[in-house]
Amino acid sequence: MYKPQFLRTAARASIRPRAALLSQIRNQKITPQFSTCSFLRKESDRKDTDGQHGAATTAGEPGESGAHEGQFARTDNEVRVQYPEEENLPRSTPVQGRGGLHFKKTLASFSMEGKTAVVTGGARGLGLVMAQALAQSGADIALVDLKKDDAVSSAKDLQDQLRKENPDSEKIPKVTAHYADVADPASVDSCLAEIITEHGKIDNLVTSAGFTENFSAITYPPDRMNKLWGVNVNGTYLFAVGVAKHLMEREVPGSIVMIGSMSGAIVNVPQPQAPYNAAKAAVRHLAASLAVEWASNGIRVNCISPGYMLTALTKKILDDNPTLSKQWTSLIPVGKMGRPEDLMGAVTFLSSDASLYVTGADLRVDGGYTVT
């Protein structure tokens, strides 16, 4: 074994050279050599190292690599579309050949028989087609619209279509028309009371009332922005709360489907529509929030986010702005816009018992737009 004295001597001997080296390092003046580090190179030198692609990086000036820079990912303030006044809205008719008896096997849980569904914005467009889907699945329907005359006409057309396609049916779903300004709490309460008087109850709600406009943010008229927010967000909230109160009072479960938009998750191009995008993002998160809040009451709340749908109003917009169609479809993986009837299965699924364990979901029906 080594003696302690020997070990101490050996340790001191090993320390002395290291101490001398440290002293030498401290006294030596060292000049940092950073001249070859890329982050301190001059801008021109850095671009040169990127070769022919340098102009397409952040080293290049805006537009240096060509006029194409950002052209498929930016809004165009020249695109301007104002939502038509109510009297100028194009009429819609029920989809033909979608109802009637069939002998294809499907789940009984998709049936809406015995249910009463309220559809806001139900006089035309997506609302009318989704109302038709629920009626063809067996539900009684209350169409709600700001233009009651149009709602009355659509209700009659829908009921006539159901009779035509189901000539041997003993019972045809009841379809009624009702007026409401969805952004006005008193009007919403009055409308719901009228529907309950007419149908006896409400089991389902689809909030399809809404509209979009295209203005650049800095030129958007404040009064129109307030109207847009009032219809798209406040109207959705007011009807959802009103129906939920009714369901809670009856102590029964129910389903609420809010119609959002893919615009709540992405920014559409080339048309500028910041307030609409924000409003639909609010609808999407409202659905998720109320799904959690009302889960203990058995009330499911989900959202459908459609992509570009070729409604009568969309056709009018594309007629006025013919280049939009190609720009839109070039960004959709399936290469096509959807039809309103492409939402029929989605709304029936989320409204029916087929989706009993689905709540707080956002079902995007957009041809893959939001996944690219």
Side-chain angles (χ1 to χ4, degrees):
M1 294 182 65
Y2 293 111
K3 295 182 179 180
Q5 180 62 35
F6 174 80
L7 292 173
R8 285 194 294 273
T9 303
R12 283 195 293 270
S14 66
I15 290 171
R16 286 190 191 111
R18 291 167 58 194
L21 178 61
L22 288 171
S23 177
Q24 181 181 358
I25 291 174
R26 290 191 193 101
N27 294 330
Q28 182 177 354
K29 185 176 181 181
I30 299 176
T31 302
Q33 300 294 319
F34 293 137
S35 58
T36 60
C37 293
S38 61
F39 62 87
L40 287 182
R41 290 180 189 147
K42 290 188 296 184
E43 197 70 23
S44 58
D45 294 338
R46 196 190 326 169
K47 196 187 302 184
D48 289 342
T49 63
D50 293 331
Q52 61 178 333
H53 303 297
T57 71
T58 53
E61 295 296 324
E64 186 175 344
S65 65
H68 67 278
E69 291 183 0
Q71 74 176 81
F72 298 120
R74 294 175 181 170
T75 55
D76 180 359
N77 290 342
E78 296 300 315
V79 178
R80 184 168 176 169
V81 179
Q82 182 169 313
Y83 191 75
E85 297 300 323
E86 296 297 329
E87 60 271 16
N88 296 324
L89 287 172
R91 276 217 60 206
S92 297
T93 57
V95 179
Q96 304 297 309
R98 285 279 168 169
L101 292 175
H102 63 83
F103 300 96
K104 294 181 179 179
K105 294 180 179 179
T106 188
L107 294 173
S109 56
F110 279 91
S111 173
M112 293 292 293
E113 291 183 17
K115 305 291 186 182
T116 297
V118 176
V119 181
T120 68
R124 63 179 56 79
L126 303 183
L128 178 57
V129 172
M130 288 186 287
Q132 182 177 355
L134 299 181
Q136 288 172 345
S137 299
D140 291 335
I141 303 294
L143 298 180
V144 176
D145 206 272
L146 187 62
K147 293 190 69 177
K148 186 173 179 180
D149 289 346
D150 285 357
V152 170
S153 296
S154 293
K156 182 181 182 303
D157 290 346
L158 179 51
Q159 203 141 35
D160 289 346
Q161 183 71 20
L162 292 169
R163 287 195 187 95
K164 178 181 177 181
E165 294 179 342
N166 300 274
D168 299 322
S169 292
E170 295 180 0
K171 182 181 182 299
I172 297 295
K174 182 178 182 179
V175 184
T176 59
H178 308 269
Y179 165 83
D181 177 353
V182 299
D184 178 9
S187 180
V188 171
D189 290 343
S190 176
C191 176
L192 290 174
E194 180 181 284
I195 293 170
I196 293 169
T197 299
E198 184 85 16
H199 289 267
K201 63 169 186 170
I202 297 171
D203 301 291
N204 296 82
L205 170 67
V206 178
T207 60
S208 186
F211 70 95
T212 182
E213 293 185 309
N214 305 118
F215 293 92
S216 66
I218 60 174
T219 62
Y220 210 119
D223 59 325
R224 298 202 64 84
M225 185 180 70
N226 289 335
K227 179 182 178 181
L228 180 143
W229 195 269
V231 173
N232 287 278
V233 182
N234 297 351
T236 298
Y237 177 81
L238 291 172
F239 260 93
V241 169
V243 170
K245 283 181 181 178
H246 169 71
L247 293 169
M248 291 175 188
E249 288 168 359
R250 290 171 55 209
E251 297 182 345
V252 296
S255 173
I256 296 173
V257 179
M258 297 179 176
I259 306 305
S261 169
M262 68 175 185
S263 304
I266 52 90
V267 177
N268 302 69
V269 290
Q271 68 276 20
Q273 52 185 46
Y276 177 79
N277 296 349
K280 288 303 185 180
V283 169
R284 177 168 56 92
H285 203 58
L286 178 63
S289 300
L290 295 180
V292 173
E293 187 169 331
W294 296 339
S296 61
N297 300 102
I299 301 171
R300 298 183 297 109
V301 187
N302 292 288
C303 182
I304 294 177
S305 291
Y308 290 117
M309 295 287 165
L310 194 59
T311 62
L313 181 57
T314 305
K315 290 177 184 176
K316 183 179 185 305
I317 292 172
L318 293 178
D319 287 342
D320 295 337
N321 301 269
T323 62
L324 282 180
S325 180
K326 287 184 177 180
Q327 290 176 281
W328 288 353
T329 54
S330 71
L331 297 170
I332 304 171
V334 302
K336 304 289 184 181
M337 283 184 280
R339 299 169 301 161
E341 48 265 48
D342 291 326
L343 297 175
M344 296 177 90
V347 74
T348 304
F349 168 64
L350 291 177
S351 298
S352 70
D353 289 346
S355 60
L356 279 180
Y357 199 54
V358 180
T359 193
D362 177 28
L363 178 53
R364 298 181 188 175
V365 186
D366 62 2
Y369 191 107
T370 56
V371 296
T372 58

